[in-house]
Amino acid sequence: MNAPSLSNDQTEDSVPGYRYDAQLASRIEEDWQQRWVADGTYRVTEAAGADADEAFRPKLFVMDMFPYPSGSGLHVGHPLGYIGTDVFARYKRMTGFNVLHTMGYDAFGLPAEEHARQTGEHPRVNTEKNIANMQRQLDRLGLGHDKDRSIATTDVSYYRWTQWIFLQIFHSWYDVEESRAKPISELEELLASGERDTKTVKPWADMDAVERRKELDAWRLAYLGEAPVNWCPALGTVLANEEVTAEGRSERGNHPVFRRPMKQWMMRITAYADRLLGDLERLDWTESIKTMQRNWIGRSEGAEISFPTSSGIDIDVFTTRPDTLFGTTAMVLAPEHPLVDELLAEEWSEETPLLWRGGAATPAEAVEQYRSAASELTDLERQENRSKTGVHIGSYCKVPVSGKAVPIFIADYVLMGYGTGAVMSVPGQDQRDWDFASAYDVEIVRTVQPPENFSGEAYTNDGPAINSDFLDGLLIEEAKTSMIAWLEEHGHGKRMVTYKLRDWLFSRQRYWGEPFPIIFDETGLALAVPEEHLPVELPELMDWAPRALDEDSDPEPPLGRAVEWASASYDLGDGFKTYQRELNTMPQWAGSCWYYLRYLDPSNEEKFVSPDIERYWMTSLDGGIGGVDLYVGGVEHAVLHLLYARFWHKVLFDLGHVSGPEPFQRLYNQGYIQAAAYQDDRGVYVDAEKVEENNGSFFYEGGPVSRTFGKMGKSLKNSVTPDDMYSAYGADTLRLYEMFMGPLDQDRPWETKSVIGSHRLLQRVWRNLINEETGEATVVDVPIDEGSQRLLHQTIASVADAMEGLRFNSAIARITELNNELTKSSNPVPLELAEKLVLMLAPLVPHIAEELWARLGHSDSVVHQSFPSADAGLLVEDSIELPVQVNGKVRSRIVVSTDASPDELETLALADERISQLTSGNQIRKVIVVPKKMINIVIS
RNA sequence: GUCGGAGUGGCGGAAUUGGCAGACGCGCUAGACUAAGGAUCUAGUGCCCGUUAAGGGUGUGGGGGUUCAAGUCCCCCCUCCGACACCA
């Protein structure tokens, strides 16, 4: 392949014809991008090393969290992670790996549907347009993706398999004894043979067909559950807990969300809580993400304890501190606890303090008043107002271990959603209980001895038990064990583990999502659409008009408007019958739960992924847990996407569809690019591009403005687009700058003025190898001199090391140093050195590297060349300069041979003129010699 | 409040096993080339003292400690970012 003719137009400004500027860069880039497509440069197969004449290449699966194709286009912050994975993938490919790297689109979701509601344009049309635009912007960056493997979650050929996976989950139950999912047919046998008890009171043998279906439905991993859900009228849908903010608003759009019970599809992710927690240990993820997942799962160990009441009903509480049972002085229930009405006393007893009555004439009245007051508080108000309130319900229960009668209260600091919704109040050892007890004059009994100088209220640290009968003197852990043993022996309770994690609400009342492959017959019970009838395609829908909804209205799934589609005829083995389709759609998370598996085998019509191909890419070669070798994305998916995908993967693993228990072996969180934003004195954001700096102050059109940093975007008027950078410098410069700004996992501020530095590097590299006037290579085929040889190999070693560790900023710094040396020398660059420099640059700036490679006389692509390897013999210098310290301060330097002995070094150091001046007249107390590092002389 | 992460020049950041702090880049200063330079090239650039220089002092959020030697290890404190937030 000949070097292309890319000469700049000779104009009166006398820029040399082949100066590496934005114009030349753009021509080089577009030219190579076309050739890559034509040559299939980035196509990858599983057959690495399968041919006898090809060396075995280990696999490497590198992946980005795929994007939602937004309509507003990219800014320079978006591709940071994509560039990082691209550089890494290219580097690893050059070091002998068979690298899989591609990109897809998470294309279902609310914005396209909102767009349809406003414009009437079908979400599919809008989505495809956005994908095309985004693809164009990304292509221009020169990302080395295997495009044949790209998918969009909205492709019918993709969501067919999303539906198929849903059916796998629907057809499964979780065997707690073996801690894994199994086909529901196996459960049926166990229930029929009596090896497992049914969940209802009736034995399997006594059930009719409908009862049996209900029984099985109660075990499924995907089930219809009546549960309090987050109803968001503004979005017209219910949301998962994970999609609701702490303020009780929708994460998307910040609309009010109301809690109400509804029948919805749920995923039994709670069955996997322990495995999701335990397997975190084996993942190469940051500690912070692991911690977030641990917190979300929220495992706590303790005991469930039954408190008897005079009405014969027991109140069950969960506690992590069974050792404090003797300190229980009250029982506190959540206001909505189901036992409240049954335990309510007729009237106040004489001795009930007025404080406990809430000003009401009877307990019933007090409870009613309290409940209505509590329900009026928003979650936010509950948070802001932490003072404890509650009312006595007139009755008492007994502390099992002591028989002591304690009053029962309801209080809104006890949450129905956690544990059993009831708390044994131990003010001595729990600050919340202390606060409540002191507000309502409830007795306080300490059961752990605080230290003598303790001045706080509740004492939560360790210490010997007191006032606790048989526990007295025991430390917390021993006391817990003894108490649990006592409870179990006497039938008052048992060891128990609870989780904060709830089952995953899986229904959405939206159009633009995957339809459920579910139909209902006349019993109202769910049936699976047979696999061979997948996919269940979305109907066309023309009516996008929004419906006015409020807190009290029922969600209206848009699919209900597709009347013909909503009923369907299937033969489920008893002849064709008409069924009603499920009208909800799946949440956006569904498609992103398994896309990495489809990348492996995107056009397979028989299976969601071929088992051989799955095993090839997902099995760790070095004994790791397996999965994607490097997964790069933002921290915002710490809980939602990453937990859901792990859950699905584990189900698929249990059912034998994938080879390992985890989807993502190594997770890396890239930082975000921030940009300066400027506000005038009214607080209005002004166009950041037009702000001028003067002596540390900022001015816009003459007026002073203040600077803050934030996400790039329209609202802060601080966006810089990749297209701006392409036209000013070219894509390679943008890539290089983004990688040079700092380590990949750190947030960093964008500075357009600094981009020039990265451009200059490329310009100097170009000029060192290419005649700017003629475009000819200026290199000469001569041996590299020894000094340059050493520098080259030291550079290779450092660059390789930095690339392995994703420290691309350091790799670029080392390459710059090498190039700076070449710039200083007036001699032409030796060919071999030039080639190695180009190869080192290739992962970072592939276009200019290809161009230089071609101009150095090569006809093949640089993409599949080997990365240079460092010659260990050249890494060590013959002689080095060592600092000589006196009392820890550098006072001189000596040049010594590398293999000088410690004794020689000491002698040389002491003989140094400056050192002898400083040491004369002082006693030398000690000389520390660290060969190849330094010498320190300690004088008195 | 709890948990997680981080504090290094004017700015982004290097220094991954304790061993020359500030690599590399931006910016800034001076110079070269130029009709011109917001292009390009060359040199300098932590701060303070020292006319230049030689040299000295000081310096990695603050305070203490270990060590011949600390950005790095230990203790206490401060600040910032992120997550969770009455989870019993």
Side-chain angles (χ1 to χ4, degrees):
Chain A
M1 194 177 293
N2 292 321
S5 167
L6 288 161
S7 158
N8 278 319
D9 297 330
Q10 290 282 354
T11 49
E12 74 287 353
D13 62 3
S14 79
V15 171
Y18 289 88
R19 164 152 298 172
Y20 184 81
D21 58 11
Q23 282 177 35
L24 184 62
S26 293
R27 258 172 287 170
I28 290 172
E29 287 161 8
E30 285 169 11
D31 187 61
W32 279 102
Q33 282 162 13
Q34 281 171 22
R35 288 202 224 177
W36 289 334
V37 172
D39 297 350
T41 305
Y42 299 110
R43 203 167 290 145
V44 57
T45 68
E46 288 74 34
D51 292 345
D53 57 345
E54 193 192 0
F56 170 75
R57 286 178 294 138
K59 69 90 188 182
L60 191 82
F61 186 7
V62 178
M63 207 173 80
D64 302 274
M65 287 186 187
F66 67 168
Y68 178 80
S70 143
S72 51
L74 299 179
H75 59 64
V76 291
H78 290 117
L80 179 68
Y82 307 153
I83 298 171
T85 51
D86 189 50
V87 174
F88 187 70
R90 286 172 182 276
Y91 167 74
K92 294 300 272 188
R93 187 182 293 121
M94 292 178 75
T95 56
F97 285 82
N98 189 32
V99 179
L100 174 54
H101 191 208
T102 187
M103 174 70 85
Y105 293 95
D106 190 14
F108 277 126
L110 283 175
E113 193 166 343
E114 291 295 312
H115 180 81
R117 283 164 66 160
Q118 284 158 24
T119 65
E121 184 178 42
H122 196 282
R124 181 169 295 285
V125 174
N126 180 247
T127 300
E128 280 169 5
K129 220 189 282 177
N130 290 347
I131 289 178
N133 183 47
M134 194 158 167
Q135 190 64 55
R136 180 191 58 77
Q137 284 187 297
L138 290 177
D139 283 348
R140 189 61 187 76
L141 265 175
L143 302 174
H145 294 151
D146 181 353
K147 296 244 192 79
D148 295 347
R149 293 173 181 265
S150 184
I151 55 102
T153 54
T154 47
D155 297 341
V156 178
S157 59
Y158 179 83
Y159 75 66
R160 168 201 177 162
W161 293 107
T162 310
Q163 292 173 337
W164 181 86
I165 294 171
F166 175 85
L167 288 184
Q168 302 308 303
I169 301 170
F170 177 74
H171 287 311
S172 303
W173 63 292
Y174 199 80
D175 184 345
V176 177
E177 289 178 15
E178 290 184 28
S179 296
R180 66 179 189 89
K182 293 179 173 177
I184 201 90
S185 53
E186 290 182 25
L187 174 68
E188 210 171 329
E189 289 165 24
L190 292 170
L191 292 172
S193 69
E195 285 172 69
R196 289 296 158 101
D197 292 336
T198 55
K199 290 203 173 183
T200 48
V201 275
K202 237 180 195 179
W204 181 260
D206 298 348
M207 291 181 179
D208 63 27
V210 171
E211 284 170 330
R212 285 181 177 176
R213 279 174 62 189
K214 281 186 183 162
E215 173 70 23
L216 291 180
D217 285 351
W219 291 80
R220 294 179 192 276
L221 287 182
Y223 64 98
L224 274 169
E226 184 91 31
V229 298
N230 307 295
W231 162 232
C232 180
L235 293 175
T237 185
V238 299
L239 300 170
N241 289 341
E242 290 85 341
E243 294 168 310
V244 180
T245 64
E247 287 78 32
R249 304 182 79 89
S250 62
E251 189 116 299
R252 191 180 285 271
N254 202 35
H255 303 294
V257 171
F258 303 93
R259 303 279 294 175
R260 59 182 281 185
M262 282 184 201
K263 198 164 212 180
Q264 304 285 338
W265 283 100
M266 310 286 284
M267 290 262 172
R268 207 178 297 280
I269 190 172
T270 49
Y272 282 85
D274 264 330
R275 282 168 61 189
L276 289 168
L277 194 63
D279 284 346
L280 284 174
E281 303 298 326
R282 299 174 62 196
L283 297 176
D284 184 10
W285 293 15
T286 61
E287 209 42 50
S288 72
I289 298 278
K290 288 189 188 179
T291 305
M292 283 187 227
Q293 292 221 342
R294 286 188 195 112
N295 290 343
W296 190 264
I297 295 167
R299 183 182 203 272
S300 42
E301 276 182 46
E304 189 176 60
I305 303 176
S306 294
F307 286 65
T309 63
S310 51
S311 55
I313 308 163
D314 283 0
I315 304 171
D316 291 334
V317 303
F318 172 75
T319 178
T320 55
R321 293 292 303 275
D323 60 297
T324 63
L325 187 54
F326 283 100
T328 305
T329 53
M331 167 64 61
V332 189
L333 308 181
E336 56 274 51
H337 195 286
L339 290 180
V340 172
D341 293 324
E342 296 179 54
L343 295 170
L344 209 50
E346 292 279 317
E347 51 193 28
W348 302 121
S349 69
E350 299 256 320
E351 57 273 19
T352 304
L354 283 177
L355 195 54
W356 295 6
R357 302 188 187 188
T362 62
E365 198 182 301
V367 166
E368 202 195 318
Q369 279 175 15
Y370 187 78
R371 281 177 171 166
S372 77
S375 69
E376 274 169 28
L377 288 178
T378 65
D379 285 358
L380 189 63
E381 286 165 329
R382 279 206 194 187
Q383 271 184 25
E384 279 171 354
N385 185 8
R386 288 280 175 88
S387 61
K388 303 284 181 285
T389 59
V391 286
H392 182 38
I393 67 167
S395 55
Y396 288 74
C397 64
K398 276 188 180 171
V399 179
V401 77
S402 61
K404 175 177 176 153
V406 297
I408 305 173
F409 292 83
I410 57 171
D412 64 2
Y413 81 90
V414 176
L415 309 174
M416 196 56 227
Y418 187 76
T420 61
V423 166
M424 59 182 230
S425 179
V426 189
Q429 273 74 231
D430 184 289
Q431 189 59 42
R432 293 156 303 178
D433 293 340
W434 179 287
D435 293 341
F436 184 74
S438 33
Y440 287 91
D441 217 3
V442 172
E443 187 189 2
I444 296 172
V445 178
R446 286 196 190 277
T447 59
V448 178
Q449 180 65 57
E452 268 181 38
N453 56 358
F454 181 71
S455 60
E457 300 178 331
Y459 178 71
T460 53
N461 291 330
D462 207 354
I466 51 170
N467 301 321
S468 293
D469 198 328
F470 60 92
L471 301 179
D472 283 351
L474 299 180
L475 296 178
I476 290 177
E477 277 314 309
E478 306 161 320
K480 279 183 185 173
T481 312
S482 305
M483 181 54 85
I484 290 172
W486 186 93
L487 289 167
E488 288 180 343
E489 190 186 326
H490 294 84
H492 290 295
K494 57 177 195 278
R495 240 185 77 82
M496 185 148 112
V497 176
T498 62
Y499 301 90
K500 221 168 77 180
L501 183 70
R502 302 281 89 146
D503 276 346
W504 174 16
L505 175 72
F506 201 69
S507 305
R508 297 293 183 276
Q509 289 71 47
R510 306 299 305 195
Y511 169 78
W512 195 228
E514 299 88 348
F516 282 79
I518 289 288
I519 47 181
F520 297 93
D521 64 8
E522 68 286 349
T523 65
L525 297 176
L527 292 163
V529 171
E531 267 182 40
E532 61 272 23
H533 292 297
L534 297 182
V536 175
E537 283 196 55
L538 276 171
E540 290 298 312
L541 204 64
M542 300 312 291
D543 177 11
W544 300 106
R547 301 289 193 263
L549 296 169
D550 61 29
E551 185 180 353
D552 298 318
S553 45
D554 282 323
E556 282 181 43
L559 290 181
R561 299 178 205 169
V563 179
E564 281 183 32
W565 179 89
S567 60
S569 182
Y570 285 102
D571 179 356
L572 302 186
D574 50 356
F576 276 98
K577 289 206 277 185
T578 300
Y579 299 92
Q580 296 306 305
R581 288 196 191 278
E582 167 65 58
L583 299 177
N584 288 299
T585 52
M586 299 188 201
Q588 194 175 358
W589 312 109
S592 58
C593 268
W594 74 283
Y595 69 110
Y596 52 96
L597 293 170
R598 195 61 179 171
Y599 283 164
L600 307 179
D601 195 10
S603 51
N604 194 329
E605 294 290 323
E606 307 301 317
K607 288 186 181 306
F608 76 115
V609 58
S610 136
D612 290 343
I613 293 176
E614 191 275 337
R615 203 174 310 115
Y616 176 79
W617 290 110
M618 297 293 281
T619 307
S620 169
L621 293 171
D622 52 12
I625 195 167
V628 176
D629 295 283
L630 178 68
Y631 190 25
V632 174
V635 273
E636 74 272 22
H637 292 113
V639 181
L640 309 170
H641 159 60
L642 289 170
L643 202 61
Y644 296 151
R646 293 181 65 213
F647 162 54
W648 275 36
H649 198 91
K650 285 184 185 306
V651 177
L652 291 171
F653 174 66
D654 287 353
L655 299 176
H657 297 303
V658 294
S659 55
E662 284 286 336
F664 314 120
Q665 171 149 226
R666 181 177 180 201
L667 175 73
Y668 191 92
N669 296 112
Q670 100 255 4
Y672 287 92
I673 291 185
Q674 313 258 325
Y678 303 89
Q679 287 164 285
D680 63 19
D681 46 17
R682 296 166 302 165
V684 176
Y685 284 97
V686 301
D687 187 355
E689 223 176 317
K690 294 187 184 142
V691 170
E692 288 172 351
E693 183 183 353
N694 192 353
N695 264 329
S697 302
F698 302 95
F699 301 90
Y700 174 76
E701 291 176 348
V705 288
S706 62
R707 183 176 69 169
T708 51
F709 284 86
K711 270 189 173 174
M712 275 192 188
K714 286 194 189 103
S715 55
L716 301 188
K717 291 193 184 165
N718 61 351
S719 275
V720 179
T721 68
D723 305 270
D724 297 338
M725 292 300 107
Y726 300 151
S727 58
Y729 301 106
D732 278 335
T733 296
L734 174 63
R735 291 172 59 107
L736 192 64
Y737 175 64
E738 294 217 2
M739 293 301 97
F740 185 63
M741 288 166 82
L744 197 57
D745 57 354
Q746 246 173 55
D747 292 349
R748 73 260 336 249
W750 177 265
E751 262 191 348
T752 298
K753 70 171 187 191
S754 296
V755 180
I756 186 74
S758 297
H759 189 63
R760 277 183 198 142
L761 171 61
L762 296 181
Q763 218 169 40
R764 286 172 196 164
V765 169
W766 180 267
R767 193 161 40 229
N768 284 335
L769 308 187
I770 301 293
N771 182 320
E772 286 192 325
E773 304 294 338
T774 66
E776 303 284 322
T778 56
V779 299
V780 289
D781 197 358
V782 297
I784 309 172
D785 69 78
E786 198 189 319
S788 302
Q789 192 73 272
R790 286 190 196 286
L791 176 62
L792 171 64
H793 283 265
Q794 283 161 0
T795 304
I796 292 169
S798 318
V799 170
D801 185 54
M803 292 264 189
E804 291 288 347
L806 302 171
R807 296 187 309 275
F808 304 123
N809 53 331
S810 294
I812 296 165
R814 297 289 85 77
I815 293 172
T816 307
E817 282 174 314
L818 174 64
N819 190 59
N820 285 349
E821 286 305 310
L822 300 182
T823 306
K824 275 181 200 155
S825 160
S826 53
N827 298 325
V829 177
L831 175 64
E832 187 195 339
L833 204 165
E835 287 180 342
K836 289 186 170 157
L837 173 63
V838 169
L839 292 173
M840 282 193 280
L841 281 165
L844 293 156
V845 284
H847 313 90
I848 189 177
E850 288 277 30
E851 185 67 22
L852 289 169
W853 190 245
R855 284 175 191 270
L856 292 176
H858 297 277
S859 58
D860 47 359
S861 165
V862 79
V863 170
H864 297 287
Q865 302 301 315
S866 290
F867 200 81
S869 57
D871 181 341
L874 288 164
L875 297 181
V876 210
E877 304 273 5
D878 288 342
S879 67
I880 44 172
E881 189 185 71
L882 289 190
V884 182
Q885 301 180 338
V886 176
N887 286 350
K889 285 178 182 158
V890 180
R891 296 300 181 187
S892 185
R893 289 161 202 285
I894 54 174
V895 177
V896 298
S897 86
T898 315
D899 50 11
S901 70
D903 285 345
E904 285 174 290
L905 289 174
E906 180 172 341
T907 313
L908 285 166
L910 290 169
D912 181 79
E913 191 185 345
R914 193 157 155 68
I915 297 299
S916 61
Q917 276 172 21
L918 286 164
T919 51
S920 68
N922 292 293
Q923 194 197 344
I924 294 174
R925 299 176 52 179
K926 208 183 208 180
V927 178
I928 290 119
V929 177
V930 185
K932 295 179 196 167
K933 290 288 183 189
M934 43 67 69
I935 297 141
N936 189 9
I937 297 159
V938 186
I939 61 175
S940 49

